[in-house]
Amino acid sequence: MPIFRLSNEIFFPDPNFAEDDGLLAFGGDVTDSWVETAYRSGIFPWYSDDREILWWSPDPRFVLFPKELKISKSLKKAIKKEPYIVTFNQDFLSVINKCGTLRKREGTWITKKIINAYYGLHKRGLAVSVESWYENKLVGGLYGVAIGKCFYGESMFHTMDNASKIAFVTLVNKLVELDFQIIDCQVHTDYLESFGARFIPRENFLSILREFN
């Protein structure tokens, strides 16, 4: 399959044209409008500062269905102790910046353009942050995008034990309450698999987006 070069016009090719590794296209721009269109199409950006913008749509897709959330016994015990105050959308910029800072050791994809794009989505009510606080200090959290009944997870961080895990469980419980159908985890991690995330065919993922976006 060819890898598509995008122009300045917001347009994405059919995700089924993606390479075996999920790479679909490069170029275009990273703004809130580009990212929103990508998510609605089953595509996401993932690149580093020294490379062109890359757009991906892997097959199979790694997802979590909110009602399938698994919580380990040890985490349940930690949650019962209520060690943190968990909030929504109280400090989006700090969450995304901390995710980027802690990912720099791995080569972050959370570039300045990414931060500006997701903050633009946040101001439009589409990007969401969840924060864990300990003694009024931000010690964990995550952010993602909510469109329709689909949540697209992006990144998380923690500086204290279980801080991001408790934020994540709080988020998933809220998504169940709001009847969200799917959480897009994008690519596999053992961390998210432990919560019940699993692979589904890309076509199934795209069908869910078409129905619930």
Side-chain angles (χ1 to χ4, degrees):
M1 294 288 186
I3 299 175
F4 293 84
R5 176 185 286 276
L6 304 180
S7 67
N8 293 327
E9 179 184 357
I10 300 177
F11 169 80
F12 290 99
D14 187 325
N16 291 305
F17 287 124
E19 296 283 291
D20 290 342
D21 62 0
L23 181 59
L24 175 66
F26 65 97
D29 200 358
V30 177
T31 65
D32 58 327
S33 297
W34 273 90
V35 173
E36 179 188 358
T37 302
Y39 281 137
R40 289 184 183 276
S41 306
I43 300 161
F44 60 88
W46 190 20
Y47 69 105
S48 54
D49 257 334
D50 59 347
R51 298 185 64 181
E52 275 204 88
I53 301 165
L54 303 177
W55 302 91
W56 304 78
S57 185
D59 186 18
R61 191 71 163 232
F62 199 58
V63 305
L64 173 65
F65 293 98
K67 292 180 181 178
E68 295 181 2
L69 176 68
K70 297 178 181 177
I71 307 174
S72 67
K73 289 181 180 179
S74 60
L75 183 55
K76 285 180 180 178
K77 289 180 181 178
I79 292 172
K80 284 183 180 179
K81 294 179 181 178
E82 298 183 346
Y84 308 116
I85 295 173
V86 180
T87 59
F88 288 84
N89 296 320
Q90 291 303 299
D91 200 343
F92 183 90
L93 277 177
S94 289
V95 169
I96 193 171
N97 276 291
K98 284 181 179 292
C99 287
T101 298
L102 294 176
R103 291 283 186 272
K104 278 184 180 177
R105 304 166 194 163
E106 307 164 14
T108 185
W109 68 95
I110 304 174
T111 64
K112 289 181 179 179
K113 272 199 165 188
I114 287 284
I115 291 172
N116 289 337
Y118 285 83
Y119 187 51
L121 289 170
H122 177 67
K123 289 189 289 186
R124 291 171 51 200
L126 296 177
V128 175
S129 63
V130 187
E131 304 89 13
S132 289
W133 304 88
Y134 181 76
E135 295 182 348
N136 295 317
K137 182 179 179 181
L138 182 63
V139 295
L142 60 95
Y143 74 97
V145 176
I147 300 175
K149 295 296 183 181
C150 304
F151 187 86
Y152 304 84
E154 276 301 312
S155 188
M156 57 182 66
F157 82 96
H158 70 276
T159 57
M160 291 184 67
D161 289 346
N162 294 317
S164 61
K165 291 181 179 180
I166 291 174
F168 182 68
V169 170
T170 303
L171 168 68
V172 178
N173 287 336
K174 175 59 71 173
L175 295 179
V176 170
E177 180 184 322
L178 296 173
D179 197 33
F180 271 65
Q181 299 298 306
I182 197 168
I183 299 171
D184 177 26
C185 303
Q186 300 179 349
V187 295
H188 175 270
T189 66
D190 292 337
Y191 181 89
L192 290 170
E193 185 176 9
S194 71
F195 282 104
R198 57 186 171 91
F199 285 109
I200 63 171
R202 178 173 57 211
E203 187 51 47
N204 291 11
F205 175 71
L206 295 175
S207 294
I208 292 169
L209 298 196
R210 286 191 290 268
E211 184 174 357
F212 294 104
N213 250 337

